Amino acid sequence: MSKSKRIAIENNNMDQLADVIKRHTSDEYLNQTAIPGLRFLKVSNPEHSLPEFNNPFLCLIVQGGKSVMIGDAVYSYQKGEYLLFALNMPFVGMVAEASAEEPLYCLHLDIDMPLIAELLMDERLRIDFTKDTTTTGVYLDKADGNLSNALLRLVSLLDTLREAAFLAPMYIREIHYRLLRSEQGRQLASLSMPSSNIRKIGRVISYIKENFQDPLRMDDLASIAGMSVSSFHQHFKRFTISTPLQFQKQLRLMEARRIMATENIDATAAAFKVGYQSLSQFSREYHRMFGNSPSRDIKNIRDSALGNTLRNNKGLA
């Protein structure tokens, strides 16, 4: 197949995906669908930052543009591109291209790790685990025709829900297979291997997530990972693009933002509730992460539909 014909097919798939998603997306921000693990994001106003903390998932842009900040790294992607989060990492999403006439539309699909492990049992995949080439816990790629076709078939089931219960699991299985066969699929595959370094860091991430209010002890985290302290620091930074302390700070700030927006408490109470000892430090770091003071940011959230999204997100767990 020629390159021009392949590009035409990929663009046509994105346009069809956008048409289906528009029909099934009414609310601003995250919209749950009738298919488990499948959500659509709609944003008409590009002024708000969008903090999110999810299980491993894929985010495909079908219209508009978006940037994601993870630690010190920024990933920008547009129509036809996707980010795949192989680890449970905090990040801040920033809308780069959206309007009331042409909103940002994204497809979110949870990654089913037991399904990944099951697929890897088939020797025909032939993924080489002898060398750990994983770079980070997130990667950016373009949805080729095979992947976009499978996603289109899955999303189109929303128009024929009677078939969804039977067909959705098969299409989701194919999507996971396509991701494993992608250029970066080895990073996703590594999470199913208990001895892989990325899987070990994943255990530490779960621990920090559950204890983000408490002080961190590097010896304890290294022990959870089964690594020396120096090796742990190296691999944590490699996979999460942040240090453990930076990672914890991001979790604290996101949770503080959520509870201020949904539980009607002020910045002082929120800061101490998530583990800060200094209000000035909290305000300074909050402004650096979200681009506004806590009071101004929360006012913007309450004036927008983002408040409903945060309200539905009951904590980090």
Side-chain angles (χ1 to χ4, degrees):
M1 183 185 299
S2 67
K3 181 178 179 181
S4 60
K5 185 174 182 180
R6 185 174 66 251
I7 293 174
I9 291 174
E10 293 168 356
N11 287 336
N12 182 59
N13 286 344
M14 287 303 115
D15 291 339
Q16 291 186 65
L17 273 168
D19 288 341
V20 178
I21 290 174
K22 288 175 186 177
R23 293 200 302 272
H24 294 278
T25 306
S26 56
D27 298 331
E28 283 286 301
Y29 300 99
L30 280 178
N31 292 254
Q32 302 292 331
T33 74
I35 298 175
L38 178 66
R39 299 172 297 278
F40 300 143
L41 175 69
K42 173 186 176 182
V43 182
S44 304
N45 186 344
E47 295 181 359
H48 299 289
S49 297
L50 307 177
E52 302 172 63
F53 192 90
N54 300 83
N55 291 316
F57 78 108
L58 172 149
C59 178
L60 170 72
I61 295 183
V62 300
Q63 180 173 290
K66 183 181 180 183
S67 295
V68 168
M69 182 173 66
I70 306 171
D72 297 328
V74 176
Y75 297 82
S76 296
Y77 56 126
Q78 298 178 325
K79 176 181 176 180
E81 297 178 320
Y82 67 89
L83 270 184
L84 194 148
F85 288 79
L87 289 175
N88 217 335
M89 297 192 295
F91 60 91
V92 178
M94 298 160 285
V95 181
E97 184 181 341
S99 66
E101 294 75 24
E102 294 189 357
L104 168 71
Y105 284 113
C106 299
L107 180 157
H108 283 223
L109 181 67
D110 288 342
I111 300 300
D112 185 339
M113 293 313 302
L115 177 55
I116 291 292
E118 179 185 339
L119 289 170
L120 289 171
M121 293 178 66
D122 191 327
E123 62 181 14
R124 289 172 293 183
L125 276 173
R126 296 180 181 175
I127 295 178
D128 182 11
F129 289 99
T130 60
K131 184 178 180 181
D132 186 358
T133 58
T134 306
T135 52
T136 68
V138 58
Y139 64 85
L140 174 64
D141 208 346
K142 183 175 179 62
D144 63 17
N146 289 325
L147 177 59
S148 57
N149 264 324
L151 288 166
L152 178 57
R153 291 197 301 275
L154 175 67
V155 169
S156 297
L157 289 175
L158 295 172
D159 293 328
T160 56
L161 284 178
R162 284 184 297 180
E163 299 180 348
F166 182 77
L167 294 177
M170 292 192 292
Y171 295 161
I172 289 173
R173 185 182 183 87
E174 180 185 353
I175 290 164
H176 283 62
Y177 168 79
R178 298 296 178 189
L179 292 172
L180 284 170
R181 290 297 303 270
S182 70
E183 185 176 348
Q184 305 292 339
R186 191 191 176 287
Q187 297 180 201
L188 183 59
S190 294
L191 276 179
S192 69
M193 306 299 291
S195 61
S196 69
N197 288 324
I198 192 171
R199 180 71 174 269
K200 293 175 182 178
I201 296 301
R203 293 198 293 267
V204 177
I205 287 174
S206 296
Y207 175 84
I208 297 176
K209 177 184 171 184
E210 294 169 2
N211 302 276
F212 68 93
Q213 301 99 329
D214 303 327
L216 296 180
R217 286 174 46 86
M218 294 303 113
D219 288 346
D220 292 341
L221 299 183
S223 177
I224 292 170
M227 300 176 178
S228 68
V229 172
S230 61
S231 178
F232 164 69
H233 270 286
Q234 176 187 352
H235 286 97
F236 193 95
K237 177 77 172 179
R238 173 188 175 193
F239 295 136
T240 69
I241 325 175
S242 64
T243 67
L245 290 176
Q246 289 171 332
F247 190 93
Q248 180 192 50
K249 178 180 70 177
Q250 292 166 348
L251 294 183
R252 287 178 170 182
L253 291 171
M254 289 182 175
E255 178 65 358
R257 193 188 203 206
R258 186 193 70 81
I259 60 179
M260 282 189 290
T262 62
E263 298 181 12
N264 198 30
I265 65 175
D266 60 20
T268 301
F272 288 110
K273 187 171 183 178
V274 299
Y276 274 87
Q277 302 300 315
S278 166
L279 180 59
S280 60
Q281 180 186 4
F282 168 76
S283 298
R284 184 169 60 251
E285 293 180 348
Y286 191 101
H287 189 284
R288 187 179 301 125
M289 184 165 184
F290 298 118
N292 258 324
S293 67
S295 58
R296 182 172 298 179
D297 183 54
I298 296 307
K299 182 180 185 303
N300 288 340
I301 288 175
R302 290 173 177 165
D303 291 342
S304 74
L306 178 56
N308 291 329
T309 298
L310 292 175
R311 190 170 294 107
N312 292 331
N313 177 23
K314 298 178 180 179
L316 298 169

